[in-house]
Structures are given as C-alpha cells and as structure tokens.
Amino acid sequence: SSGINAEYGLEKKEKKSIGSKLEKFLKQCTSQLAHESSSGIMLMYNVHTLICLEASQEVIMLFLRELGAVPALSECKVLSFTENVPSRLFQHGWADVSLPTRPLEQKLETSDTISQIIVGVMQQIVKLSEYVNHNVPKVNYKARCETMISSQIQLIVPEETVEYVTADKTILPTTDYLEKYTSPVDIVLDQEIVWPVAVRLFPYM
C-alpha cells in the first residue's frame, strides 16, 4: 500500500473529473496486468489531496507515474510505502471523496518530527478505514462513502496537517521516488574492497 499527498486548487467538478480519471486508470491496470482490483481512498480537500492506494507493487509504480501526468497532482509526495500487508484497509474497493469546502485554519505548529507526523497520518487513515468497513454499505459504495465520511470530521486527517507534510523538503516527490526506486543499485562486492589502500598507485608516488 502507498500513501501519497499533493497540493492543487480546483473546483469540485474538476476534482471529480480527476477522481474518475484515476479510477479508470486503476481499472485498466487491473485488466491489462491481470492483477487483483485496487482499493483505497482519495481524500480531496480544498487545495490538497491525500491518497491511500492498496495494489500490487507494479500498479502502484504505474499509478505514481500517472499522477505526474495530471497537472494538478504533479507535485505529489510519497509518505509511506508498505509491502506484504496481510489484509486490505479499505475492503470494499476504491473511492474518491471530495470533502466539504472549509477555510484553512492557521498553519500547523508542532514539536513532533516529520516522521511522527506521518505515523499519525497513517494511524488516522487506519481509523478511517475501520469506520468505512463497518459502516459504509457495498451498495452504491462510492456515493455513500463520500456522504458518510464527510460527516466524520474527527476521522479525517486535517488539511493543515496535509499542508505541513507537503511543504516538508525531506519527503521525496513522486518523480524523485520513482527515479530512486527504479535506478539500478551500484553494488560493490566484498572481494572488490581492498584495505588498506594500496600505495604507489602512480609512478610519482
């Protein structure tokens, strides 16, 4: 599973268009790669979004590339990447949720490290998934998911927190993450390491 966030500024109609496009992309990946269906949630705030995607490693990598092709989501950052998760958080599938518009409050001020904040974000997503799994029916899942989640403010990661994390320079953007993840590793074998360093490597030494 993967946690991703981004910054943008869109109307609700535009948010829905992006949500539909990404859902269609995930379905295409499932069909072409013959993988299990993806699940997760996309929370779309006033000017930010927070995504939890549960899919195969290959689909997640393709999804990250696809985000780079969406202008409003091109500045995404990867918060967490977890492998070999025993069960899905969002068991009913994928949903994009356009949250009610509200003004941003003052910027988040905290003594917590960025790692502690990200852990808190992940814990909040787990709590949200538990609510969704136990309360949102499978019938008309996406529409009901949006209606019911929007009323559970205490379960939603505050946008001020998402904004704080997005601004942190130590978190890799998706483009840098993909480059690091897909670049070959420069491996040095034990037998190639020589210590102490040989002397007289050059004629003048």
Side-chain angles (χ1 to χ4, degrees):
S1 62
S2 181
I4 309 155
N5 75 336
E7 183 173 1
Y8 56 82
L10 301 172
E11 298 297 328
K12 184 172 182 177
K13 184 178 179 181
E14 295 173 299
K15 294 177 186 178
K16 282 299 177 186
S17 175
I18 290 175
S20 298
K21 178 181 179 180
L22 292 178
E23 181 182 20
K24 182 179 179 181
F25 177 79
L26 289 172
K27 288 181 177 178
Q28 288 175 342
C29 288
T30 299
S31 174
Q32 294 174 6
L33 300 174
H35 289 178
E36 291 184 20
S37 297
S38 302
S39 61
I41 198 159
M42 181 177 184
L43 299 176
M44 307 186 81
Y45 300 83
N46 290 4
V47 291
H48 298 86
T49 186
L50 181 62
I51 303 171
C52 174
L53 173 62
E54 302 173 291
S56 68
Q57 188 180 78
E58 188 173 3
V59 170
I60 290 176
M61 291 298 108
L62 291 172
F63 185 81
L64 292 179
R65 287 193 178 92
E66 182 66 14
L67 290 179
V70 180
L73 301 179
S74 59
E75 298 299 321
C76 293
K77 292 189 174 182
V78 179
L79 306 186
S80 173
F81 190 101
T82 308
E83 296 182 287
N84 300 320
V85 179
S87 60
R88 292 176 183 260
L89 292 179
F90 295 89
Q91 298 171 4
H92 300 337
W94 168 266
D96 57 274
V97 176
S98 183
L99 297 169
T101 301
R102 70 170 183 83
L104 276 171
E105 298 177 6
Q106 63 184 17
K107 292 185 178 296
L108 177 67
E109 295 183 3
T110 177
S111 59
D112 291 341
T113 65
I114 192 65
S115 296
Q116 291 172 323
I117 294 173
I118 291 175
V119 169
V121 170
M122 297 299 113
Q123 291 172 336
Q124 197 79 352
I125 290 175
V126 171
K127 292 178 182 178
L128 178 61
S129 72
E130 291 172 348
Y131 170 82
V132 169
N133 293 336
H134 287 94
N135 295 280
V136 180
K138 293 182 181 180
V139 179
N140 200 16
Y141 172 69
K142 282 186 59 181
R144 294 195 178 190
C145 200
E146 178 161 293
T147 301
M148 297 179 72
I149 286 179
S150 297
S151 65
Q152 301 296 316
I153 302 299
Q154 74 280 7
L155 296 176
I156 299 171
V157 178
E159 186 170 8
E160 289 77 11
T161 301
V162 179
E163 179 184 50
Y164 184 91
V165 172
T166 303
D168 190 276
K169 302 300 183 183
T170 64
I171 303 175
L172 289 177
T174 52
T175 49
D176 293 349
Y177 183 88
L178 283 168
E179 182 179 355
K180 285 183 176 292
Y181 195 91
T182 57
S183 298
V185 179
D186 185 13
I187 300 175
V188 179
L189 302 177
D190 289 343
Q191 58 265 34
E192 295 177 349
I193 299 176
V194 178
W195 187 262
V197 177
V199 295
R200 298 188 180 279
L201 297 179
F202 303 99
Y204 53 81
M205 293 183 64

